[in-house]
Amino acid sequence: MNIHEYQAKEILRAQGVPIPPGEVATTPEQAEAIAKKFGTTVVVKAQVHAGGRGKAGGVKLARTPAEARDIAGKILGMQIKGLTVLRVLVTPAEEIASEAYVGVILDRASKAPVFMVSPAGGIDIEEVAAKTPEKIRRLRVDTRYGLQTYQAMELGFFLYADLKQARAAASIMQKLYAAFMASGASLAEINPLVVTPKGEVVALDAKMVIDDNELDRRPAIAALRDESAEAPSEVEARNASLTFIKLDGNVGCVVNGAGLAMATMDLVKYYGGDPANFLDIGGSSNPDKVVAALRIITADQNVKAILFNIFGGITRTDDVANGIVTATRANPLKVPIVIRLTGTNEDIAVKILKENGFSASADMDEAVKQAVALAKGGKAA
Ligand code: GDP
Ligand code: MN
């Protein structure tokens, strides 16, 4: 789950990370009032679940309350990476002497939290990693001991030569680590971590991603979810207990089981196509899940063909067939559909589908080839 900058900042502030105050506005007038209250130059910042807001024009300085209002008027409603800005954070502007990057991620390869820090902050850390990897320092944390002070100091000195600043950064990293662990995060980063002309070290931006599997036992964190900031398809999928990830291709895939879903996507690619999504309808699929899955996939304008790939183990393929019939009766399909199913109650499923004008095959390669051809506007092979 993604959370907004202002929410991540609240979490980090609670751990004691120095962060300038800030308030959220949903209208230009609110932004003006907040700027007036702070009484200084402010930064108006788009609150969307996307990085690179600065480059996209979603982070702007405002010298007066009137300017804050005008800028908020421009940023609110703006699209950044396909997401509409519904809120802005208004925060007193800091003067910046230098910008650094500090982040911790849950690294699968290390099976542990790994810190990544760089004195070249502010910009894309991916770019720094690609062009000047020597400017990045990594450190694996042993979760039995946490980020020890000597380790944090080592990272601090990689960022700053000045002892006081290195100490300040080390303390911030230990707090960042505490917030990361306490929130069930898979990523927590501060970019930029800045030094002001007075030599103070403060966090001006914060990003956290929470592991969905950690939410059940953390209701306060789960409550930070902002559905209005998420892709509607992902919201609907979550509410229907489907595992769904939208992708850029045009073959809509409905599959049961994560392994088969991955294999299906691989095969779509292998035959020259592009999957429009990853979608796992799960083990014991009732027809309702299939209906929801079809609704989500057909709402995607990119989808030019739909591919069902179902292996009936616990899943009854006749349940899936019934779901397909129910869903398409309510909402006739505008794109071709290819159905591959095999396993439990296959005979019944094929009968149901045939009676309703669908065809089904048991051959996965053939089905994928057909779906790819249909998505390209060709005839089924
Ligand atoms: P991002 O582009 O989405 O990562 O948004 P950031 O919050 O990191 O802002 C982008 C850039 O705007 C930062 O790297 C800074 O250079 C600048 N910026 C953000 N806050 C301030 C501030 O308080 N004062 C000044 N002078 N610049 C800021
Ligand atoms: Mn940033």
Side-chain angles (χ1 to χ4, degrees), residues 263-288:
T264 305
M265 290 165 54
D266 280 351
L267 212 55
V268 167
K269 282 270 187 193
Y270 181 78
Y271 286 119
D274 256 318
N277 62 278
F278 171 99
L279 194 155
D280 172 10
I281 59 172
S284 64
S285 70
N286 61 20
D288 290 348

Side-chain angles (χ1 to χ4, degrees), residues 242 251-257 260-261 264 277-282 289-298 305-311 320 324 337-340:
L242 303 167
V251 181
C253 304
V254 184
V255 189
N256 68 321
L260 188 59
T264 305
N277 62 278
F278 171 99
L279 194 155
D280 172 10
I281 59 172
K289 277 196 178 180
V290 177
V291 173
L294 265 176
R295 192 164 52 227
I296 291 162
I297 285 189
T298 50
I306 296 168
L307 169 66
F308 267 76
N309 188 11
I310 305 296
F311 181 80
V320 175
I324 295 173
I337 182 169
V338 178
I339 303 163
R340 180 263 177 167

Side-chain angles (χ1 to χ4, degrees), residues 60 95 122 129 137 182 196 211 236 240 254 258 274 303 330 341 377:
K60 289 243 151 51
E95 278 185 69
R137 180 80 159 252
T196 65
D211 183 335
E236 186 177 0
V254 184
D274 256 318
V303 170
L341 43 79

Side-chain angles (χ1 to χ4, degrees), residues 53 122 191-192 205:
R53 296 164 302 163
N191 186 28
D205 187 16

Side-chain angles (χ1 to χ4, degrees), residues 151-349:
Q151 297 175 310
M153 280 305 286
E154 208 174 292
L155 295 177
F157 276 123
F158 185 69
L159 298 180
Y160 307 118
D162 179 83
L163 173 63
K164 261 174 72 185
Q165 289 167 16
R167 273 200 180 128
S171 158
I172 288 170
M173 284 183 257
Q174 287 182 309
K175 289 162 180 161
L176 181 68
Y177 179 77
F180 173 88
M181 294 301 280
S183 318
S186 55
L187 175 149
E189 67 175 28
I190 298 172
N191 186 28
L193 180 71
V194 306
V195 178
T196 65
K198 285 187 200 147
E200 280 158 6
V201 183
V202 274
L204 291 197
D205 187 16
K207 178 180 160 91
M208 289 179 80
V209 179
I210 311 295
D211 183 335
D212 285 342
N213 298 308
E214 298 277 349
L215 293 174
D216 279 344
R217 50 184 167 160
R218 291 183 175 82
I221 300 285
L224 298 178
R225 186 184 291 285
D226 175 9
E227 288 199 343
S228 69
E230 298 181 329
S233 55
E234 290 185 5
V235 175
E236 186 177 0
R238 194 176 49 252
N239 292 338
S241 308
L242 303 167
T243 307
F244 172 84
I245 295 158
K246 189 176 160 11
L247 302 167
D248 296 330
N250 58 10
V251 181
C253 304
V254 184
V255 189
N256 68 321
L260 188 59
M262 296 298 283
T264 305
M265 290 165 54
D266 280 351
L267 212 55
V268 167
K269 282 270 187 193
Y270 181 78
Y271 286 119
D274 256 318
N277 62 278
F278 171 99
L279 194 155
D280 172 10
I281 59 172
S284 64
S285 70
N286 61 20
D288 290 348
K289 277 196 178 180
V290 177
V291 173
L294 265 176
R295 192 164 52 227
I296 291 162
I297 285 189
T298 50
D300 180 350
Q301 299 296 317
N302 289 339
V303 170
K304 298 291 179 255
I306 296 168
L307 169 66
F308 267 76
N309 188 11
I310 305 296
F311 181 80
I314 300 168
T315 302
R316 291 171 36 177
T317 58
D318 55 324
D319 273 352
V320 175
N322 279 322
I324 295 173
V325 171
T326 311
T328 51
R329 224 178 251 155
N331 280 306
L333 290 175
K334 296 192 185 76
V335 296
I337 182 169
V338 178
I339 303 163
R340 180 263 177 167
L341 43 79
T342 187
T344 310
N345 291 355
E346 182 180 328
D347 300 348
I348 307 171

Side-chain angles (χ1 to χ4, degrees), residues 21-38:
E23 283 182 39
V24 174
T26 54
T27 65
E29 291 70 31
Q30 283 172 3
E32 180 179 21
I34 298 166
K36 201 178 243 166
K37 204 169 78 181
F38 287 133

Side-chain angles (χ1 to χ4, degrees), residues 5 9 20 41-48 50-61 80-81 89 91-97 99-100 121-124 189-194 203-207:
E5 173 192 3
K9 281 181 166 174
T41 297
V42 294
V43 194
V44 182
K45 312 184 72 177
Q47 298 298 289
V48 281
R53 296 164 302 163
K55 269 189 207 154
V59 177
K60 289 243 151 51
L61 285 175
I80 298 179
K81 295 186 182 161
L89 174 66
T91 170
E94 290 284 341
E95 278 185 69
I96 299 177
E99 296 186 288
I123 47 168
D124 270 355
E189 67 175 28
I190 298 172
N191 186 28
L193 180 71
V194 306
L204 291 197
D205 187 16
K207 178 180 160 91

